[in-house]
Amino acid sequence: NMTIISRLKLGFLAVVLAIPVLPQQIVLAGEEQRAPPQARTAGTLGPQVMRAISSIQELMQPEDEEDEPDLAAAKLELDELYDRRWERMNDFEKQTVLNFYTNYWLTLENYPEAINTFKQLLEIEALREDTRLRTLKSLGQLTAAEELWQDSILYYGLWREASLVEDDIVYRGLSYAHYQADEFTEALPYWIDYMELLLQRYEESLLPVEVDGVLQPAEPQEFPLGRDDYSYLNGLYFTLEDFPNALELTKTMIMLFDNQTDWMNLSAIYSGLDDEERRVRSLNVAYLKGMIEDENRFLNLGQSMGGIDVPLSGSKIIVDGMEKQIVEETEDNLVTLAQMHLIGADFEGALGPARRVAEMSDSGDGYDTYGYIHYALANYQDAADAFQMAVDKGELSNRADTLLFLARSLIELDDFEGARNAAVDSADAGSESEQRSANDYIRFIDSTEERFTIIEERKADAIDFYRPYPSLLE
């Protein structure tokens, strides 16, 4: 709903991603829990009911603040009054007695009995309209406390049918009850209405007020919506996979609260929208703000930087995580770091982590990678040494390939015999296609050695042919 999102941005002007648990405190009748009702005049309560109610009230709420309430005695007198006179009571007397019962049960936090009593209140024909509304709202709250979600929805709905105005507690209660009943689509509009209502009241409170015929600026008011309110709405958008609205709301939350979770949610939303570049960039901003504090996100961001063609920035992020001891220097993580350097053609930078992987690895694959990096840097002696260590360590993923690269390194060192032996071993270890490659390379070694021998012979002949002239000084 783009209207609510636009209005929620008012919060940014005013105060310039689990789903939160809503407040569970029960506020009966939309306000504070009521104290036991005061005894009325004889015109509304009969003399006998009046005396009994006065006694019960004294037991439940003694005039002397140092005296402890005697709820057990109050309950006995209530039961006696109910049994003795209920059928002869007028509607107001019944309402008064039931009000004492509800306060008794609520004091004991016995919500099921309180619910039954409130239901009995609704059966009184001459129940005042304001009392009926308070009772319906209380039933909505109490049934929610007992996780009777459909009952809560029912009573809140009856309240709305009977009321001429809307109420934020009712909106909130309806949304939460629908949410708990897995009715997420129904929960969403009630929560939007709840937030809209609070915003409307807030906007009205900012209007100038007239004092003695002169308009005066309104007193500053605290913004009525907290981060939990926004988070609940965002949780509904996520649950309903409404990512466009979740995106706009999350941006607003970032402006308002600059919270780590919201930055993480922003990245997740871009992922849901298949916008990889913005996903990575938003996560990178969170990293630059110091909001990434776990290994998985460091590694995810580092590797993702390679996906948007900035792998060396990704390698710096992973190194930073290791220096902060957030990213553990395990074999897998060091492999990832080396790969980021390789993707960025930073072979020198890849040497360090590749060497450590080679030392840690149970197989020779680590030395194979280390050798390849040296080979790419034309460090042929180091490459040959590394490839030989890989062969000696064993457990290679592709022994034939490692041996062929050993041959390539040795031929660069003019070690034709060693290169030939490595190529022969490669042919023996490889598949049919690898055997062909190795045999082709053996022929290359032979021809190269032949050319090398011819050149060396011609060099020797040239040395014998040319004699230096005698010195002119002799």
Side-chain angles (χ1 to χ4, degrees), residues 347-367:
F347 295 99
E348 292 283 357
L351 278 174
R355 178 183 56 79
R356 295 179 61 191
V357 170
E359 294 169 349
M360 297 169 66
S361 178
D362 293 331
S363 75
D365 285 340
Y367 277 111

Side-chain angles (χ1 to χ4, degrees), residues 157-450:
L158 290 173
W159 184 94
R160 292 190 70 214
E161 290 176 7
S163 175
L164 298 177
V165 297
E166 297 291 1
D167 185 272
D168 57 288
I169 292 175
V170 173
Y171 278 144
R172 184 178 62 186
L174 278 167
S175 178
Y176 193 55
H178 279 295
Y179 176 84
Q180 291 295 333
D182 293 335
E183 297 169 354
F184 306 117
T185 302
E186 292 80 0
L188 178 62
Y190 286 120
W191 195 260
I192 291 175
D193 288 340
Y194 158 72
M195 297 180 76
E196 286 275 16
L197 184 58
L198 291 185
L199 281 170
Q200 180 182 344
R201 291 176 184 171
Y202 176 71
E203 291 168 0
E204 291 171 353
S205 74
L206 298 178
L207 298 175
V209 294
E210 186 174 331
V211 179
D212 297 329
V214 179
L215 286 177
Q216 300 290 340
E219 290 291 330
Q221 301 291 319
E222 182 178 356
F223 190 67
L225 297 173
R227 185 173 174 279
D228 284 352
D229 296 314
Y230 291 84
S231 296
Y232 179 82
L233 177 58
N234 219 14
L236 286 171
Y237 283 140
F238 266 85
T239 302
L240 295 170
E241 298 184 359
D242 184 353
F243 295 122
N245 275 328
L247 176 61
E248 294 303 315
L249 182 60
T250 301
K251 289 178 179 178
T252 298
M253 293 176 69
I254 285 173
M255 289 191 295
L256 284 169
F257 309 109
D258 195 24
N259 185 276
Q260 177 185 24
T261 300
D262 299 327
W263 281 101
M264 298 303 103
N265 284 342
L266 182 63
S267 177
I269 293 168
Y270 280 128
S271 177
L273 293 170
D274 294 325
D275 192 336
E276 179 64 10
E277 183 170 347
R278 282 191 172 88
R279 181 192 76 81
V280 177
R281 294 193 183 282
S282 62
L283 196 58
N284 189 45
V285 173
Y287 161 72
L288 295 173
K289 292 171 69 67
M291 291 181 172
I292 294 184
E293 301 171 346
D294 65 271
E295 181 180 61
N296 287 338
R297 285 201 172 99
F298 262 97
L299 292 170
N300 179 275
L301 176 59
Q303 292 174 286
S304 297
M305 291 298 240
I308 60 172
D309 298 327
V310 281
L312 296 184
S313 295
S315 65
K316 290 178 181 178
I317 290 169
I318 295 174
V319 169
D320 183 40
M322 290 179 174
E323 290 175 349
K324 292 176 178 176
Q325 298 184 334
I326 295 173
V327 177
E328 189 177 356
E329 297 184 30
T330 63
E331 181 179 342
D332 287 343
N333 292 344
L334 289 167
V335 167
T336 297
L337 177 57
Q339 289 173 344
M340 298 302 297
H341 283 291
L342 292 175
I343 293 172
D346 178 16
F347 295 99
E348 292 283 357
L351 278 174
R355 178 183 56 79
R356 295 179 61 191
V357 170
E359 294 169 349
M360 297 169 66
S361 178
D362 293 331
S363 75
D365 285 340
Y367 277 111
D368 177 74
T369 301
Y370 185 53
Y372 169 77
I373 297 170
H374 274 301
Y375 185 86
L377 291 168
N379 300 331
Y380 298 118
Q381 185 61 62
D382 290 329
D385 292 341
F387 287 129
Q388 186 60 58
M389 293 179 73
V391 172
D392 293 342
K393 199 166 190 178
E395 301 296 328
L396 289 164
S397 298
N398 192 331
R399 178 180 172 83
D401 184 70
T402 302
L403 285 165
L404 192 57
F405 263 98
L406 174 58
R408 293 175 185 275
S409 302
L410 290 172
I411 200 171
E412 295 290 345
L413 299 170
D414 298 333
D415 183 357
F416 299 106
E417 182 179 357
R420 186 179 293 104
N421 292 336
V424 169
D425 290 342
S426 175
D428 292 340
S431 63
E432 184 176 345
S433 62
E434 289 170 329
Q435 288 175 1
R436 286 196 297 269
S437 296
N439 289 328
D440 288 342
Y441 200 72
I442 291 171
R443 287 189 287 272
F444 171 76
I445 294 170
D446 291 340
S447 62
T448 301
E449 183 179 21
E450 183 178 347

Side-chain angles (χ1 to χ4, degrees), residues 38 54 57-68:
Q38 300 291 327
S54 298
Q57 179 169 307
E58 178 61 24
L59 290 169
M60 294 183 70
Q61 192 177 33
E63 291 186 9
D64 190 339
E65 295 181 357
E66 295 184 0
D67 291 342
E68 292 290 330

Side-chain angles (χ1 to χ4, degrees), residues 5 59 80 111 186:
I5 291 172
L59 290 169
E80 182 182 354
Y111 297 156
E186 292 80 0

Side-chain angles (χ1 to χ4, degrees), residues 37-105:
Q38 300 291 327
R40 306 306 176 97
T41 64
T44 54
L45 295 176
Q48 291 181 317
V49 175
M50 168 83 75
R51 286 192 295 272
I53 288 297
S54 298
S55 175
I56 293 167
Q57 179 169 307
E58 178 61 24
L59 290 169
M60 294 183 70
Q61 192 177 33
E63 291 186 9
D64 190 339
E65 295 181 357
E66 295 184 0
D67 291 342
E68 292 290 330
D70 190 346
L71 295 180
K75 177 62 163 52
L76 288 174
E77 291 195 16
L78 264 175
D79 289 343
E80 182 182 354
L81 175 62
Y82 185 93
D83 293 338
R84 180 166 43 88
R85 298 196 58 86
W86 178 259
E87 295 300 331
R88 290 175 287 165
M89 288 182 185
N90 61 42
D91 285 346
F92 183 74
E93 289 172 330
K94 291 179 177 179
Q95 176 182 328
T96 303
V97 169
L98 292 177
N99 281 339
F100 273 94
Y101 269 114
T102 58
N103 281 280
Y104 170 79
W105 294 123

